[in-house]
Each structure stands twice: as C-alpha cells, then as structure tokens.
C-alpha cells in the first residue's frame, strides 16, 4: 500500500537539465540586443514562462519593445532553443528520474507531468520518457503560470485523483508555491535554503524512494 496515489513532476530541472539550453538561447538574444545576460539572472528564470522571462530580460537590459516585437523576440529565442533540444538524448535524463518514475508505476502510483514549457513533448520524445507518464499537462494546456496551481490541479484531474492524494516534485520556488496553493505535498529538488516551503528537499530524484514518499 502506498500513502499517495499520484506523483506530478515538473520537467525542467527535475527530469532534465534544460536550464543550460534556455541560458544559451536567452544569452544569444540579449547579446544581439546589445547587452549581456548572466547565469545568475538565468537562475531567476527557473519555472518562469517564456513571455515573462523575456519581459524580465528586457527589463534587466533596460530595453523597451512593443508587443509585436516581443513576440518576434520570443519566437527567435525559441527557435534556437528547439534547435538545441532536438539534439537531446536519453543520456540527459537526470540521475534517478527514470528509475523513480518506474518505481512509482510499479507500485500503482499514477504519474503526470506538470510543466510550464510548451516544448515538453519534444523533450520527452527525445529522451524517450513519454510512455512513463499517464498524463501530460504543459504550457500549451494552462493559462495561469506557477505559482498558480492550475498546472498541477489539471494534472490531478487528468489522473482522477484529489490534490491530497498527490505529491509534486519541483525545482523552482514558484513551482513549490504552486503545489502548496493546490493543496498538495511537495518535494523540492535543489537546495533546502532556497526551497524552504517544501515538505522535503532532495538534491535529485536519485535520492527519492517509495519509503521516503510514504513518510511525507
Ligand atoms: C520552465 C522553465 O519549465 O518552462 C523556464 O523552467 C521556461 O525556464 C518555461 O521559460 C517555458 O518554457 P518554453 O519551453 O515553453 O519556452
Ligand atoms: Mg523546473
């Protein structure tokens, strides 16, 4: 018997480390616009939507653009990003992610993806993990960005479980907050100093087990 019936996973930073590709693409865009973009600033974009990320970057660079220009810039960045993720392979799955997903499913725990990314399907297909999710809720299916709980609530709904039956795995502060706002337990992936509100913080899914899950 397991205490929880469903696990909902964020993608970027939990299953794969795509932050490096986002960083390269945003940096290229910033440089073309005549300013720099640091890794430190990239950290602040974890879990933040594409449009909001662009707005923050333009703010940091002290640049103002019209809505139409912003759309063009976001598309340009995304084209570079997609070009990079199209080369991803299963070797890029973070340690323990596949194993933990398999352990959940073997124990009868349902699995869902809950990501802000509109590129989730492309990534999952390239790393060969699509089949390990019973439901996929991504940036194409939600209107409200994390910390709004919409993405996780839709995940629970798709799995036919209530929020209290779910555990969310998240690397971003906004994502941890989204899970809490949705009435779900949440495991932070990263630093306990940053993800203070999580019920448990681990450095990666390789530190997770069904035993730890049951203790939440
Ligand atoms: C999140 C990432 O998962 O998805 C963010 O942490 C990113 O950095 C967001 O901006 C949106 O992703 P995409 O692929 O739709 O541009
Ligand atoms: Mg993330």
């Amino acid at each position: 018997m397991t205490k929880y019936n469903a696990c909902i996973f964020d993608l970027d930073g939990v299953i794969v480390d795509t932050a490096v590709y986002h960083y390269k693409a945003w940096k290229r865009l910033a440089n073309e616009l005549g300013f720099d973009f640091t890794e430190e600033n990239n950290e602040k974009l974890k879990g933040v939507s594409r449009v909001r990320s662009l707005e923050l970057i333009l703010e940091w660079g002290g640049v103002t653009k019209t809505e139409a220009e912003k759309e063009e810039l976001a598309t340009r960045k995304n084209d570079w990003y997609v070009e990079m993720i199209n080369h991803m392979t299963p070797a890029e799955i973070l340690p323990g992610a596949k194993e933990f997903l398999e352990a959940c499913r073997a124990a009868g725990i349902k699995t869902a993806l809950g990501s802000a990314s509109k590129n989730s399907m492309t990534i999952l297909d390239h790393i060969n993990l699509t089949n390990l999710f019973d439901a996929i809720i991504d940036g194409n299916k939600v209107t409200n960005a994390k910390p709004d709980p919409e993405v996780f609530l839709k995940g629970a709904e798709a799995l036919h479980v209530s929020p209290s039956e779910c555990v969310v795995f998240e690397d971003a502060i906004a994502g941890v907050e989204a899970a809490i706002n949705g009435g779900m337990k949440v495991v932070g992936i990263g630093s306990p100093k940053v993800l203070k509100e999580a019920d448990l913080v681990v450095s990666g899914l390789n530190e997770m087990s069904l035993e730890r899950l049951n203790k939440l």
Side-chain angles (χ1 to χ4, degrees), residues 12 22 45-50 53 81 115-119:
D12 297 315
H22 281 296
L45 301 182
K46 274 189 183 170
V48 178
S49 75
R50 193 184 309 164
S53 297
Y81 178 69
S115 167
S117 173
K118 292 185 174 171
N119 294 300

Side-chain angles (χ1 to χ4, degrees), residues 130-196:
T130 312
N131 293 339
L132 290 184
F133 293 96
D134 297 301
I136 292 171
I137 310 294
D138 67 8
N140 299 299
K141 294 186 180 161
V142 294
T143 41
N144 303 301
K146 300 168 185 177
D148 188 285
E150 183 185 4
V151 66
F152 297 136
L153 292 177
K154 283 200 166 144
E157 201 182 302
L159 297 177
H160 308 290
V161 294
S162 64
S164 62
E165 293 175 83
C166 301
V167 177
V168 167
F169 294 84
E170 253 297 346
D171 70 313
I173 298 173
V176 168
E177 285 170 0
I180 294 169
N181 291 339
M184 298 176 182
K185 280 276 185 326
V186 53
V187 175
I189 307 288
S191 156
K193 281 186 194 139
V194 179
L195 305 172
K196 292 188 198 84

Side-chain angles (χ1 to χ4, degrees), residues 11-21 46 88 92-94:
L11 177 65
D12 297 315
V14 173
I15 307 280
V16 281
D17 184 17
T18 43
V20 52
Y21 301 129
K46 274 189 183 170
M88 286 181 84
E92 285 178 74
I93 299 171
L94 287 171

Side-chain angles (χ1 to χ4, degrees), residues 79-152:
D79 289 347
W80 293 327
Y81 178 69
V82 170
E83 168 70 31
M84 287 186 273
I85 59 172
N86 271 338
H87 292 104
M88 286 181 84
T89 70
E92 285 178 74
I93 299 171
L94 287 171
K98 188 174 184 201
E99 292 76 6
F100 186 63
L101 277 160
E102 285 170 341
C104 286
R105 290 168 69 90
I109 298 169
K110 298 221 174 85
T111 56
L113 190 85
S115 167
S117 173
K118 292 185 174 171
N119 294 300
S120 293
M121 289 309 301
T122 308
I123 295 169
L124 287 182
D125 283 348
H126 277 93
I127 61 171
N128 252 324
L129 279 194
T130 312
N131 293 339
L132 290 184
F133 293 96
D134 297 301
I136 292 171
I137 310 294
D138 67 8
N140 299 299
K141 294 186 180 161
V142 294
T143 41
N144 303 301
K146 300 168 185 177
D148 188 285
E150 183 185 4
V151 66
F152 297 136

